[in-house]
Structures are given as C-alpha cells and as structure tokens.
Amino acid sequence: MTSRTTFDKLIERHGRVEIPVIQRDYAQGRADQHIVRDDFLKSLHDALCLPREDPTLPLDLDFVYGSIVNGSFQPLDGQQRLTTLFLLHWYLAWVDGSSEDLRTRIVTSGRSRFSYEVRPSSRDFINAFANYIPDISAGECEDIAGMITDQPWYFRSWRFDPTIRAALSMLDRMHEVFRKTSGLYARLIDETAPAITFQLLDLEQFDLSDDLYIKMNARGKPLTPFETFKARFERHLENQFKDAPPDLCNGTPLADFFSHRIDTRWSDFFWPFRDKKTATFDDAIMNLLRAVIMVTRDPEAAATSLDLADLRSMARASSYTWFHDRGWLDQEMVLALITLLERWSAGPETFCCYLPDTRHLDEQALFQDILTKPTSLTFQQLAQLAGYAQFLVHSPGEIDSNAFDAWMRVVSNLATNTDYNRPEDLRRSFAGLRDLMPWMNDILNHLASSDGDVRGFSREQVAEERIKALLIGFGDGWPERLDRAERHTYFRGQIGFLLRCCGLKLGEVDAELERLDTATASELVEPFEHYLACASQMFDDLVRHPNGSGRLWERALLAVGDFLPNVGRNRSLLTTSYDEAWGWKRLLRNAAAGGRASQILKALWDQLEDPGSHAADLDGVIESASEIDPWREAILATPSVYDYGTYRMMRFTDDGGIYLLRKTQMNGRHAELFTYCQYDSLASDMEPYGFSTSYYEATSTDEEPGLHFVRDFDGDVAKFYLCISEAPDSYEFYLDEPEEPKDELIAILKGAGFEEKDGWLTKDVKRSDIRSQALALARAFAQET
C-alpha cells in the first residue's frame, strides 16, 4: 500500500528504520556527488522556507520502497534520501535549540531508531551521533566535522568508513546552507502541513531477498548531473512561453515537447557522440547546454561579461541549480537549445549541416568541440557560434544555404580577425551580431549601404568587409577573386592589406563606398591580381620554405624598408605565428590600417614582374639596397640572424645598442647584433692563424655579450674579448687572460695598437673596423711566432 508520509511519521509508525547489511554505503554526501548533494539541499531549503500555505508544498521526494524485517522497516529504495533527512533533522534541531525534542523522537533506550547495519562502525556512529547534543550553538560553530571528530565517543578508526565520511561532509554542507535560518525544525516535523514528504510503498508481504537488493542497487546509482537537470528543467519549462509555445513545438506544451524529444529523437541524435567507456552522452548534453548559455546571454546586460567569465571557467561544474540561480535558463536560451537540436537532428545523417561547405565554418568540428571542451572554446569560436546559432534560430522556415554561407563568411571574418583579451570584448561582439539580425539573409547589401557599420569588432575588419561587400555586388569576377584571396590559409579572410595596396582607403570607408562604381572597380582588377599573386607566393614560401625562398622574401622586404613592428619594448623580425604580436599576421593588420608596412610591401611587390619566378628579382632587390640602416645591412649580410631566438626579438636600447634576444627579455640570453653578425666569418678567417673563436651570450644587463678569441702563446693561453663599449659605435678589444702577461705578449699587443688602461691591455675599435682589427691582431701573432 502507498501513503504520503514524512521522516518523523515513518519513525513513529514503524518504531525503527534500519539500513540493512546488503545495502551500500551512504553516498549522497560524498565529495564527488556535490552536484546532486547541492541540488537536493537547495530543494529542501527552498521548501522549508516557503510559508505553510504555499500551494506548491509539500516537496515530494518520490517513492521510498521497503518492508518490515525482524520488526524494523528496511528500505529497498530510498536509503540515500532517508539518511539525508535523518542528518537534516539532527542539524535543524540543533540550530533551533530543539535537540532534546529530537532525541525523544529518534532515540529509545540509548539506541537510535534510525540505524545503519551496513557495517558495525556505521551503526555505532549513528547511535552515538543520535544521542549527541553539542555544547555550543550552531552559530558559534565553524567546523561541524571537526567538532564531531573531536568528541571522546568518536573513534579514530571511523575515519576510514565511507558512510561516516559522507555523513560528515553532508553536515558541513548543511551548515553552509542552513546556518542562518531559524524555525525550520518545526516546519520539518509539522504534522498538519508538512513541508517535505515522500510516498511510502510498504511491501509488507514481500520477501526482500539479497538478490533483489543487489538488483535494486544496480539501478540505484546516483543521478547524473543531466538526469537531475532534465527532471528539474522540465518543470522549469512549464513556466516558459506561457502564452504560446515556439512554432517548432506544433502546439504541444513546451515541457511536454522537450520531455518527448529528449527521450526519443534527440537521444538518437546524441547516441553517436556518447562516451565510449560509460555508454552515456550525459556529459555531452551538459556541455552543449553550457555553450548555448554562453552565446545567448543578453549583450546589453551589465552582468554578461561576468557570466561569460564564469561559464568559461573550469572551476564550476555544470548543474541545474547553478544555471537556474544565475537566471541563464531564459527564453532566449531555451529557444536556441530546442531549435538547434531540432535542426541538427532533422536529417538522416548523424549531424545535419546547413552550410554548403566548411570554408567559413566547420559545423561538425565546432559541434565536437562544444560537446567535449566547452570551457576551452576561444573567444573567436564563441563569436562564430553566436552568429551561427542566431541565424539558425531566428531564420524562419527552411534555411537558405547561400544566404547562410554569406552570413557566416562575414561573421567568421569579423570574429577571426578581431583581438579578444577579455569577456567584455566578446560581449561587444555579441551586441554587434544582435544588431545585424534583421539583415542576416541579405548581409552583403546591408554592409555595402550607408547604414552598414557594425559595432563590436575590429574597425579595420569591418571597413574591409563593407568594401568587399560592395565589390562582390559589382560581379565582374569579384566574388571569385575575393574568395580566392580570403581562402589563403594564412590570410584567413583578412585581405585589407591588398585593398590598401590597390589604393583603397579603409580608414575612409564611407567615402570609398560612394566613390566606387563598376568602372573604378574594373580598374582595380589588374593591381589586385598582381598583389594577390605576390602575397600568396610570399606567404606560401614563408610558411612552407622558411629557410629557403621564405628567407629570401624576408631579406628583400628588409632591404626595401624598416618594417619591424614594436612588440612591447622590443621589435621583431616576425614569425609565421598567427595569433601573436610577433607574427606576420599582425603586420598585415597594420598594413591594412595604413601603417608603414603597407608602403614597404607595395614597394617590394611593385618591383616584381612574375611572383612565380621571383628569386632573381628578390636577389636583385637585396643586392641593390643602398644607404640603408647599418643594422639592416648587417642582417642582410648575415641570414643566420633569423635563426636566433624563438620570437626573433630585437631590443634597441636608449643608448643606441641593438641586441638579439633568445626570448623576450634582456635578463635572458642575448647577443649584440654587430658582433654576432661578425661571428661566423671571423671564426673561419681567424682559424688559420691559430685562433679559436666563440660567441659569449650575456644573461643580464650587467654584462655585455661579445666575441672570444683564444690562442696558445708560449705555453700560456691568450684569451681576448671584444664587446660593445659605452657608445653605440664604439667597441672594446682587450686581453682577458692571462692576468699577468709575459713581456713578449705585451710587445705583440702594443705593436698591434693595444694600450694599458686601468691594468688592462685594451684597444678601442669602431663598429666598421671590428673585422679588420681582429684580423690585424691575428696577423701580428703570426708574424711574431
């Protein structure tokens, strides 16, 4: 027979509730069950805090199955809930100063009427705990577990009992949730208007065999986060879209639609994406929920930046309570979730794609990232996902794949080529995408119009997209031409530097949109094709042949002009890194904005006849370079400089020094440019004179890097050092060892122009004379020996 009852009434009715030996340990309080635990405690707290007359009461905890065995009620199913209720009665009685009242209800002859027979330690702990009344108030206690384990009746060996550990953990969490409440114990034992009940199924005549307990426990595993979410989310949906459910529900109440779909069509859809070890897709669904929440936050809300930061953090696991309490399960999120699931599961294939190809977005790859690592999605990916979801959710009826493709091309170009440093930047992009919603199906015409500005993205990229939209509208091969340029793997949709080389001014986009017509666009075809061919060949070589033809492009560009960008306190010779400040990609962005790099790139490409056979032209550019900076001249003559350091960083100091950095700081290994450029050639040229040459890299600003020259002399080792002096064009050449040179060695050095200064034999050398002076020293030794 089934009846609604409370924990207090269950004890009163049966006299004793006993968790039998065959049952498992108490698990609801374990650390790895914190989501289920916290959700359950919140439900209990909310119900107890409602007024007695609230129509939603009582909170029903579903069925508890059991039977009378040896005079005690033994639960077959419901052990975890009953144990938590037992602990809650004890805790709330303590909070309200009613521990004596509780003891009269649950203790008889010194024994607890709620008992654990799973193992003796669990039984003994429950008996002692039921009789324990703390000598301090709950408000004075900071650590319940510590208070209990410090009692004389608590045995140290109990710390190994999983039921006891879980009970102490649950009490600690109860203390966090309920410590500021009062009067809830009375609500817990209220007979006329109980706040918390369950359905008792008393299987009085059944023989509850060990096999039956084992079978029930096999299905009695703790609910997964999604199972908990699903049960509570369906109730939440009953209050969403009250006036009318979304059209895709076909008139079915939203909660019923979701409940049916998640158990049928959507489950079939998720099955291929299940965890192969557990054969469940619960984690995948929870990850999807998290991602959808991220891209449906109100971009105008002040809390959105904080929400995005929290959702991208791995510190908090996904749960219904967290999502609900933060107000994230709103209509926009619900509509996006069910629409995306309906569209993705609409076809016979595993995942229904709506874009014609993967040029602008790989739908399946993004979906896989969402299911497996939502907190690792980049800001760029989230901006793309926001635009993608916005189109699928807010475009009625069938999806126009061409319009969708045009939309995602713009969204991906804007997102990929915008710098994101914090959630606030992403929030602004969400706002920009929301502004464009009315024009999603005709995005190019909108961008090309006078009202086509877009907020929340890189200003240069927005200007570029507007000019490209107008050119595409002219036809005449421009759609294919621009597509070919954007598809270059290094450019990734950003080709403003090509438009700038053609004479278009992205900084004056509105004026350019008025000026451009079919005639002027036709005049741009030839230069655009030339610059595209040059840029494509150059960056193909830089990426694929960095030490061959790519190096030739780098040197030729440096011969034309000083294009090195500032990176903090440094400047960089650039790498092919895509997302870093020292990458060529950043230089192309600067060129699109009209920086000096655009002039240097154009000047180089204008000197090339056929980019496909460019080697001779590039060599000619390098060889004909004249009247250029000494440091550029040194690098052009020493290509090995490009192999120095991970990021190719250079430091130009205030006093005129120029250094090559292994990484990014002067407190790491570094070399002085001009001595380093002399190293290779001097090493080979000094060897015939008996000198070995090495380069010394400094590791701090307290020392100078430079060249070491070593030679045997009359049984001693003569060691010389050449490094930059105080002035940028002045170098010091001195005898480092021996400290007390022989007269013969002194004579040789003085004959070579060395002088004694402060106890050192030294010689001042100009930068242009480094090589000649080193060889002069070598020849002086050769003549004397």
Side-chain angles (χ1 to χ4, degrees), residues 39-53:
D39 284 349
F40 188 35
L41 286 180
K42 184 178 187 306
S43 297
L44 296 174
H45 174 274
D46 292 350
L48 288 167
C49 290
L50 290 173
R52 296 176 80 250
E53 63 276 8

Side-chain angles (χ1 to χ4, degrees), residues 705-772:
L707 287 164
H708 273 138
F709 302 101
V710 180
R711 189 185 193 279
D712 290 335
F713 178 77
D714 195 21
D716 290 332
V717 174
K719 185 175 182 180
F720 299 87
Y721 194 57
L722 190 150
C723 63
I724 192 171
S725 186
E726 294 181 359
D729 190 31
S730 178
Y731 289 75
E732 185 179 13
F733 203 180
Y734 63 89
L735 177 66
D736 193 18
E737 295 178 11
E739 293 183 4
E740 298 181 3
K742 297 177 181 179
D743 292 341
E744 295 87 343
L745 180 56
I746 294 174
I748 292 174
L749 296 182
K750 286 187 175 180
F754 282 69
E755 299 177 352
E756 289 191 32
K757 292 182 181 179
D758 300 324
W760 294 86
L761 282 165
T762 183
K763 183 179 183 179
D764 291 333
V765 178
K766 289 185 176 181
R767 177 192 299 153
S768 58
D769 296 334
I770 289 176
R771 178 179 178 78
S772 63

Side-chain angles (χ1 to χ4, degrees), residues 660-675:
L660 304 173
L661 309 182
R662 282 293 180 190
K663 292 188 177 178
T664 61
Q665 299 293 333
M666 288 285 283
N667 58 9
R669 291 161 57 199
H670 59 277
E672 193 271 331
L673 173 66
F674 295 98
T675 51

Side-chain angles (χ1 to χ4, degrees), residues 383-395:
Q384 288 176 298
L385 177 59
Y388 174 83
Q390 180 175 300
F391 194 97
L392 289 183
V393 172
H394 296 286
S395 291

Side-chain angles (χ1 to χ4, degrees), residues 41 47 55 103 137 140 169 177 213 250 258 264 309 335 340 380 390 509-510 578 607 628 734 780 784:
L41 286 180
R103 188 154 59 175
S137 67
E140 298 174 301
S169 176
V177 175
Y213 272 103
N250 296 319
F258 178 87
T264 53
L335 179 63
L340 289 173
Q380 283 82 2
Q390 180 175 300
V509 61
D510 290 324
Y578 187 83
Q607 297 181 57
I628 65 175
Y734 63 89
E784 295 297 326

Side-chain angles (χ1 to χ4, degrees), residues 279-307:
T280 66
F281 44 78
D282 293 14
D283 288 343
I285 297 181
M286 293 303 293
N287 288 341
L288 173 63
L289 288 166
R290 193 169 187 143
V292 172
I293 288 172
M294 279 192 266
V295 299
T296 54
R297 295 306 84 226
D298 181 359
E300 305 299 341
T304 291
S305 294
L306 177 61
D307 290 344

Side-chain angles (χ1 to χ4, degrees), residues 115-116 137 236 414 428 463 520 543 571 621 673 707:
S115 175
Y116 249 82
S137 67
H236 172 79
L414 291 174
R428 284 195 287 264
T520 53
V543 173
R571 300 180 70 191
V621 171
L673 173 66
L707 287 164

